[in-house]
Amino acid sequence: LQDSLRIFLAYMATAVVFYTLKPAGFPPAGPDAPLPMPGQEGLVLIKGPHVMPGYYRDDIRTGEVLKDGWYYSGDMGFRDRDGFLFLTGRMSRFSKIAGEMVSHGLVEEKLQEVFGKLERHFVVAGVPEIRFGEKLVVLYREVGMTPEELSRGLRGLVPGIAVPKQVNYYLVDDFPILGSGKLDLKAVQQLALKLDAERHGSFESPKRGAARE
């Protein structure tokens, strides 16, 4: 039996030696790249002898996550004043609005707090927007509150840039769910794009030199 077994020593992405944080708006990590201030969120980049050399037979995906010796984890996080790293969520669940990273999960959490019940009634997604790059869209189930009341309740709980506009709330019967019972985030994104396009028109990037409203 021993002769037929092959033992491999493997590490996950968290088994690393070095990490850094890439602040929003700055170029990739390097010796001169600034670190975010303590408490400021950034994208977690890691390196070390245990980081994988790449995805098996997938050069495109490998090129997306391995750059200049750093592994782009897709995780967002911050460091405290003692240098400890805290993860806050996946980059796919953040929107970059006017250069600031806004957590969908935080907005959902505070909406639940405004509503006053634990059962999920809100899902937040980001869709393209010309002026600020992205905007927040809220899919919500019936809660007996208007979008105006919900946004008013959010003020003071999240930064102003993280308060969705009242016209970007969409009442739905239920949320897309995977077979595992988890949110189908891809379907949520597609639904948010569809509803936004139906209400506001399809998003088109402004042509170079074209005037913006």
Side-chain angles (χ1 to χ4, degrees):
L1 178 61
Q2 290 180 343
D3 293 337
S4 65
L5 293 178
R6 298 181 64 189
I7 300 175
F8 294 90
L9 181 62
Y11 297 87
M12 302 300 289
T14 52
V16 299
V17 177
F18 305 108
Y19 83 89
T20 188
L21 295 172
K22 177 182 176 297
F26 284 97
D32 300 322
L35 274 174
M37 296 294 291
Q40 179 186 358
E41 285 182 320
L43 176 63
V44 179
L45 278 59
I46 57 180
K47 68 162 47 177
H50 305 319
V51 175
M52 66 171 185
Y55 289 106
Y56 182 63
R57 294 184 178 178
D58 194 337
D59 293 338
I60 294 178
R61 194 176 177 195
T62 296
E64 292 174 347
V65 299
L66 293 176
K67 303 175 184 178
D68 299 321
W70 290 93
Y71 170 61
Y72 283 59
S73 69
D75 291 320
M76 299 294 293
F78 68 91
R79 62 186 179 93
D80 65 11
R81 295 188 180 277
D82 296 319
F84 289 99
L85 176 65
F86 294 82
L87 300 181
T88 55
R90 295 291 293 171
M91 188 177 179
S92 59
R93 296 234 65 210
F94 281 74
S95 286
K96 188 176 182 180
I97 303 176
E100 297 292 331
M101 300 302 291
V102 178
S103 167
H104 299 171
L106 175 63
V107 177
E108 292 168 355
E109 176 187 333
K110 296 306 180 183
L111 281 168
Q112 289 289 156
E113 188 175 317
V114 171
F115 178 45
K117 294 186 179 179
L118 295 177
E119 183 183 359
R120 179 186 288 276
H121 280 74
F122 306 93
V123 176
V124 175
V127 301
E129 198 264 350
I130 292 177
R131 185 178 180 188
F132 295 114
E134 278 189 272
K135 63 183 178 183
L136 297 181
V137 165
V138 180
L139 309 181
Y140 71 104
R141 299 191 297 181
E142 182 58 59
V143 293
M145 299 177 70
T146 66
E148 180 181 6
E149 291 170 330
L150 290 167
S151 284
R152 189 189 309 128
L154 276 180
R155 296 189 181 100
L157 299 179
V158 296
I161 202 169
V163 178
K165 292 183 179 180
Q166 299 169 28
V167 294
N168 294 330
Y169 284 76
Y170 297 90
L171 181 64
V172 297
D173 293 329
D174 215 335
F175 306 125
I177 300 295
L178 296 169
S180 63
K182 296 181 178 180
L183 274 177
D184 186 339
L185 295 176
K186 183 176 180 179
V188 165
Q189 181 69 25
Q190 292 173 342
L191 179 58
L193 288 168
K194 175 177 179 292
L195 293 173
D196 184 73
E198 290 174 351
R199 181 176 293 179
H200 302 292
S202 299
F203 171 81
E204 292 183 0
S205 299
K207 296 180 180 179
R208 183 173 297 179
R212 295 185 179 183
E213 296 182 358

